[in-house]
Amino acid sequence: MKALLLAMTFLLAANLYAQEGTQVVRGTVRDEVSKSPVIGASVLLVREAGESPVGAVTDVRGDFSIPGVPMGRQSFQVTMVGYEPQRLSNIVVTAGKEVVLNVAMTEAVQNLNEVVVTADRKNDKTKTNNELSLVSGRSFNVDDTKRYAGALGDPSRMAANFAGVVSGDDSRNDIVVRGNSPSGTLWQLEGLNIPNPNHFGSFAATGGPVSMLNNNVLGKSDFLTGAFPAQYGNALAAVFDLQLREGNNQKHELMGQVGFNGFELGAEGPFSKNSKASFLLNYRYSTLGLFKALGLQFGTGTAIPDYQDLNFKVAVPTGAKGKLTLFGITGSSDVNFLGNEVDTTLTNLYGTENTNTRVRYGTNIFGLAYEHNISPKTFAKLTLGMSTTRERFSGDSISNVTREAFLSGEARYNTSKYSAVLNVRHKMDAKNSLYGGVTVDLLDFDLYSRSIYQGGKIDTVRANVRGEKTVLTQAYAQWKHRLSTGLIFTTGVHFQHYNLNNNVAVEPRAGLQYTFGKGQSVSVGYGLNSQAQNIYTYFVQTPGESGPVRTNKDLGFTKSHHFMLSYQNRLTDNLLLKIEPYYQKLFDVPVEQRPSTYSALNMGASFGPSDRDSLVNGGTGHNMGIEMTLERYFNKGYYFLLTTSLFDSKYKGSDKVERNTAFNTRYVVNVLGGKEFRLGRDNLLSANIKTSLVGGKYITPLNLAASRLRGSAAYDENRAYSLRQSAYFRTDIRFSYRREMRRSTMEFSMDLQNVTARKNIFQQTYNPRTNELVNQYQQPFFPVPYFRYTF
């Protein structure tokens, strides 16, 4: 608690006087489809009756600036002849940072005598950046990642609160969407398909313990869970479509922050007084060593994870119609779990007393994009990118008798991806819009994996490839037709070709949305989706008569049909009810040639890649369920979110027996809420709570007798995923305090995770030293302090 006392002392010692301050609110208004500036739009601060109006009109670039906006939560009305009006609610205005808004307006198609309903684009989380997403999609922003208890500023942990989403476990931020493997998730950054953006992410995973994505630089982004628009491919479960905000191009601003995710420094501003070009960067270094010194346990035993990362974006206007942006994320991480140093009395989610594990990770993502308004109705964007991943692993087994360590395995996984992405959109008229694009990803990889047995006497090389290359080419076309204000239809096709084994997929997509009554809508969506296997799977080798044989090289795409139905009802201006039933049919799933219980649909349940060989596309599976969301958007000082999901996730391996998948928890319930309290004129206190109840996972039982004979864990594969663990329950509470000063803002918060100290099972394993089956438990009670200062 030393960190808490230190921060409270700092707050009490702050003697800068406060005053009723104001701030500048700026931004840009653009057409939703063509991205052309909307000239002459009116942006007004919503004020009480009788107060003088405050606002601005957009210029030839679509820009506006409103000085003198009072601090606190404010709302704005955006109107323009020929466009649907918009309301931007609960915009947080602080002393330490200017507010920059990016508004996308939809051209009106109704007759002049029709009733106009003002859309609240800021508050309505169903309004995604991608206007082609009509079902199973929602947006999120930095406020959500900061507000939700237990999210720790992490987009993945925040998304685990949404309907149909389950967190993999407390140790990592992998998410299970509608019973799918976490490996079915696609990450995009500014339109680039990117690798796993997490520290300690593991080559075969899509998550990790700590996100490299810094919420201080994130803009409004989308999270999609099914029936994706044709723009997205090579994914079966979900899409994170992430956008980085641009730095302030008129004023330099600084930020300092310390919390669970690290020590952080941020800066943004213009390159010069006369330039519209801006920069934004944020650097972070891990604080877990400090937490260890304070006596706080975070599930890694005596090991101290070390990591650092840098997020940045540079935006340079090129005349009135174009813009050049440079963006990127770069980070590294490492940790050593040494078995002889493991304290068996403490929670340890990674290391065990019988092994040594040493890992090193590095991920770099860079992109250069140029966008241009070719005409008032046509917009194009070309993005070039490069991403690299580096992973090194070595492990030892420790003798139960002498405690001597013997090398048991080593691996290196290196990838380099070079990408080119072209997207074009054209608005034919107010009712019809066309979209299209091409993505080419060239992958260069170096893979090596070796297992060692009997103290180094026997070894098996599972993968050994260097300097190989392959190309995944994707293209799409989509049409959006607005039959009327309340009826929207989209249809399109996605194409992909994998030259590694010449696989081709053609995937139709379609969606329909009908809005009626006062804020009610019904949407349907369909999509055929295909995903290539992890590159390691293709190069797993097995001994042959004339040398190693790669038996998985000809594997095709795993495929699935998505069928979605959605009903939404805006019960009040700030209360939304959403119900979504869905069905997903998976086929062409990799399974073993011989009859077995193995299926690639269970990939992602463990940290490493699968070494299974002799795979064929003969497996099937299905996910079906219904989701309910009741959400009160933040208004009048409070919000709440209730999500409930009931689902069933099954698969068939090559033995043709239907079984539960590793992710079939059957149900999940999340209850979140929060309240803000104003203390005087310039101080704000807030309290947030989250409670989650998740059905128990199905696991494969351990065979104790076989484990004792082998000296390591042995599982009863004939009973795969038949034993159900107890349900998962956790409650997190978050308190925060914000003080507005003359030209700066100070924030302090405390996340109290798992406040009931519930012992949720992490995994069941075998301990060869004690010859017993043991349960390892997930994170205990864990307080996380956070301090932020912007000026």
Side-chain angles (χ1 to χ4, degrees):
M1 301 301 290
K2 295 179 182 178
L4 174 60
L5 293 175
L6 179 63
M8 291 299 293
T9 301
F10 185 82
L11 288 173
L12 293 174
N15 56 7
L16 296 173
Y17 70 89
Q19 64 179 20
E20 187 173 3
T22 62
Q23 184 58 276
V24 176
V25 174
R26 300 188 293 107
T28 304
V29 180
R30 294 185 180 275
D31 183 274
E32 180 181 53
V33 177
S34 69
K35 303 300 181 183
S36 298
V38 178
I39 304 170
S42 174
V43 185
L44 292 177
L45 173 65
V46 178
R47 314 200 75 182
E48 298 293 335
E51 292 184 320
S52 300
V54 175
V57 175
T58 57
D59 60 18
V60 293
R61 299 180 63 92
D63 296 336
F64 67 90
S65 179
I66 308 175
V69 177
M71 288 186 291
R73 293 186 177 272
Q74 305 294 344
S75 298
F76 298 86
Q77 185 88 4
V78 186
T79 57
M80 177 64 187
V81 176
Y83 283 86
E84 296 177 0
Q86 281 200 38
R87 184 183 179 93
L88 308 177
S89 300
N90 290 302
I91 306 297
V92 179
V93 181
T94 66
K97 182 173 178 54
E98 288 187 350
V99 178
V100 180
L101 303 174
N102 292 304
V103 184
M105 298 195 74
T106 303
E107 189 173 356
V109 297
Q110 75 275 354
N111 297 323
L112 293 178
N113 59 350
E114 290 188 28
V115 176
V116 177
V117 179
T118 301
D120 189 340
R121 192 79 182 219
K122 173 68 168 58
N123 247 355
D124 193 349
K125 302 299 176 59
T126 65
K127 299 294 185 182
T128 55
N129 288 331
N130 191 319
E131 65 272 19
L132 296 172
S133 178
L134 303 182
V135 63
S136 298
R138 63 172 292 152
S139 65
F140 63 92
N141 55 37
V142 63
D143 291 340
D144 298 324
T145 61
K146 290 170 60 178
R147 180 185 299 132
Y148 292 168
L152 298 177
D154 184 337
S156 290
R157 286 186 167 91
M158 176 214 60
N161 299 301
F162 299 156
V165 184
V166 180
S167 175
D169 57 65
D170 291 348
S171 67
R172 300 168 62 83
N173 62 10
D174 306 73
I175 55 173
V176 175
V177 179
R178 294 176 169 175
N180 283 285
S181 163
S183 61
T185 299
L186 169 67
W187 288 94
Q188 274 198 356
L189 180 67
E190 297 280 319
L192 284 179
N193 297 328
I194 64 172
N196 183 358
N198 292 280
H199 289 298
F200 310 102
S202 174
F203 170 70
T206 56
V210 181
S211 176
M212 289 174 56
L213 296 163
N214 195 299
N215 70 338
N216 288 305
V217 302
L218 275 180
K220 180 184 175 184
S221 302
D222 292 345
F223 179 64
L224 313 175
T225 57
F228 317 127
Q231 174 182 341
Y232 306 107
N234 202 36
L236 298 177
V239 175
F240 272 106
D241 188 347
L242 303 169
Q243 302 295 319
L244 302 179
R245 67 180 182 87
E246 294 182 6
N248 193 324
N249 62 4
Q250 294 185 12
K251 178 184 176 182
H252 289 97
E253 297 173 333
L254 300 174
M255 183 275 297
Q257 177 176 308
V258 58
F260 171 80
N261 288 340
F263 294 100
E264 299 185 35
L265 292 174
E268 61 182 282
F271 282 99
S272 68
K273 292 183 179 180
N274 299 322
S275 172
K276 290 291 186 180
S278 67
F279 68 89
L280 169 67
L281 58 89
N282 194 285
Y283 172 76
R284 173 173 55 185
Y285 189 82
S286 59
T287 54
L288 298 185
L290 173 61
F291 285 169
K292 178 70 70 175
L294 293 172
L296 299 177
Q297 298 296 327
F298 42 87
T300 58
T302 58
I304 300 178
D306 181 64
Y307 55 87
Q308 58 183 321
D309 56 60
L310 175 70
N311 289 219
F312 68 90
K313 185 173 184 178
V314 176
V316 181
T318 57
K321 296 183 177 182
K323 182 171 62 177
L324 189 69
T325 57
L326 175 68
F327 60 91
I329 300 174
T330 178
S332 61
S333 52
D334 61 84
V335 66
N336 296 328
F337 298 98
L338 304 179
N340 285 324
E341 297 180 3
V342 168
D343 186 345
T344 56
T345 66
L346 299 175
T347 298
N348 193 331
L349 301 183
Y350 301 92
T352 70
E353 62 178 293
N354 302 304
T355 62
N356 292 330
T357 303
R358 296 169 291 271
V359 290
R360 303 287 184 273
Y361 299 91
T363 301
N364 301 291
I365 302 166
F366 302 104
L368 178 67
Y370 176 69
E371 57 186 66
H372 191 81
N373 289 101
I374 299 174
S375 74
K377 293 183 176 292
T378 305
F379 173 83
K381 182 177 179 180
L382 174 65
T383 306
L384 304 177
M386 181 188 74
S387 59
T388 64
T389 64
R390 300 287 183 267
E391 181 179 344
R392 295 289 187 277
F393 162 85
S394 66
D396 304 326
S397 59
I398 299 176
S399 168
N400 298 329
V401 179
T402 66
R403 305 304 293 169
E404 182 180 1
F406 298 92
L407 185 66
S408 60
E410 57 183 350
R412 70 170 183 272
Y413 307 124
N414 301 328
T415 68
S416 297
K417 183 164 66 174
Y418 306 92
S419 304
V421 182
L422 175 65
N423 287 297
V424 179
R425 49 177 64 198
H426 175 71
K427 185 167 71 172
M428 302 171 66
D429 51 42
K431 292 186 175 184
N432 297 281
S433 303
L434 297 176
Y435 305 76
V438 177
T439 298
V440 179
D441 292 322
L442 169 64
L443 185 67
D444 187 345
F445 49 94
D446 171 13
L447 310 173
Y448 179 78
S449 177
R450 180 169 73 116
S451 300
I452 304 167
Y453 310 96
Q454 298 183 14
K457 297 178 181 178
I458 302 174
D459 72 341
T460 301
V461 176
R462 299 303 293 160
N464 187 10
V465 56
R466 185 186 292 270
E468 290 273 356
K469 294 180 176 61
T470 188
V471 177
L472 177 64
T473 302
Q474 302 178 71
Y476 76 95
Q478 191 146 356
W479 171 48
K480 178 180 179 181
H481 180 58
R482 303 173 65 203
L483 289 88
S484 66
T485 302
L487 187 58
I488 301 174
F489 171 71
T490 67
T491 185
V493 63
H494 183 274
F495 166 87
Q496 60 187 40
H497 173 262
Y498 202 26
N499 85 325
L500 179 70
N501 47 27
N502 207 32
N503 272 305
V504 174
V506 179
E507 306 162 1
R509 312 284 175 87
L512 180 67
Q513 183 179 78
Y514 175 57
T515 302
F516 59 96
K518 186 178 180 180
Q520 296 186 72
S521 67
V522 174
S523 304
V524 294
Y526 165 76
L528 173 61
N529 298 272
S530 305
Q531 185 178 31
Q533 314 307 320
N534 181 280
I535 191 64
Y536 180 91
T537 301
Y538 295 103
F539 290 90
V540 170
Q541 60 187 41
T542 185
E545 293 182 0
S546 57
V549 179
R550 295 168 180 164
T551 55
N552 298 338
K553 192 72 177 289
D554 294 326
L555 278 175
F557 297 120
T558 300
K559 300 180 180 179
S560 74
H561 294 289
H562 284 210
F563 301 92
M564 311 294 167
L565 175 64
S566 177
Y567 169 73
Q568 294 186 94
N569 189 342
R570 185 63 66 90
L571 301 173
T572 68
D573 288 344
N574 298 296
L575 185 63
L576 175 72
L577 172 67
K578 182 177 180 180
I579 300 173
E580 284 198 354
Y582 65 88
Y583 178 77
Q584 182 184 10
K585 175 64 177 178
L586 297 115
F587 57 103
D588 289 350
V589 179
V591 295
E592 292 185 306
Q593 291 183 8
R594 64 178 181 85
S596 78
T597 64
Y598 173 81
S599 171
L601 294 183
N602 296 313
M603 284 286 293
S606 60
F607 295 158
S610 171
D611 287 329
R612 301 287 181 132
D613 57 55
S614 304
L615 300 180
V616 294
N617 293 98
T620 60
H622 73 259
N623 299 309
M624 60 187 302
I626 187 169
E627 302 164 357
M628 188 274 285
T629 298
L630 182 64
E631 182 169 11
R632 187 189 193 276
Y633 301 135
F634 193 98
N635 184 258
K636 295 184 178 179
Y638 73 98
Y639 76 96
F640 64 77
L641 173 65
L642 168 65
T643 62
T644 302
S645 306
L646 303 174
F647 66 96
D648 188 38
S649 178
K650 295 289 179 62
Y651 81 96
K652 288 184 181 180
S654 53
D655 62 357
K656 304 302 180 183
V657 177
E658 186 174 72
R659 293 180 169 85
N660 299 295
T661 69
F663 312 106
N664 192 19
T665 60
R666 297 293 184 120
Y667 65 87
V668 56
V669 179
N670 293 302
V671 181
L672 298 85
K675 172 69 175 174
E676 282 187 354
F677 305 90
R678 184 161 292 281
L679 307 177
R681 204 166 46 192
D682 305 294
N683 303 292
L684 198 68
L685 178 69
S686 67
N688 299 269
I689 187 170
K690 168 196 171 182
T691 295
S692 295
L693 176 64
V694 183
K697 294 181 179 179
Y698 287 93
I699 63 173
T700 301
L702 275 161
N703 186 321
L704 181 58
S707 297
R708 287 172 173 171
L709 287 173
R710 196 166 75 176
S712 60
Y715 294 89
D716 187 354
E717 293 295 339
N718 291 325
R719 298 169 59 202
Y721 304 107
S722 62
L723 178 64
R724 194 177 191 188
Q725 295 178 326
S726 57
Y728 172 100
F729 176 82
R730 172 171 153 172
T731 298
D732 300 329
I733 298 177
R734 183 178 190 271
F735 297 100
S736 66
Y737 169 82
R738 186 174 83 229
R739 181 180 181 181
E740 301 293 349
M741 292 177 289
R742 193 174 185 181
R743 295 185 180 89
S744 59
T745 299
M746 182 186 301
E747 298 175 72
F748 174 77
S749 72
M750 175 65 75
D751 256 284
L752 304 176
Q753 300 198 339
N754 194 13
V755 292
T756 65
R758 164 84 173 214
K759 296 182 71 173
N760 293 301
I761 292 179
F762 175 55
Q763 65 179 1
Q764 186 182 71
T765 187
Y766 171 73
N767 189 328
R769 180 178 62 82
T770 61
N771 272 330
E772 294 178 340
L773 300 181
V774 294
N775 288 328
Q776 291 184 316
Y777 294 96
Q778 304 205 46
Q779 179 181 293
F781 170 70
F782 183 35
V784 182
Y786 161 94
F787 176 78
R788 185 172 189 257
Y789 186 64
T790 56
F791 56 99

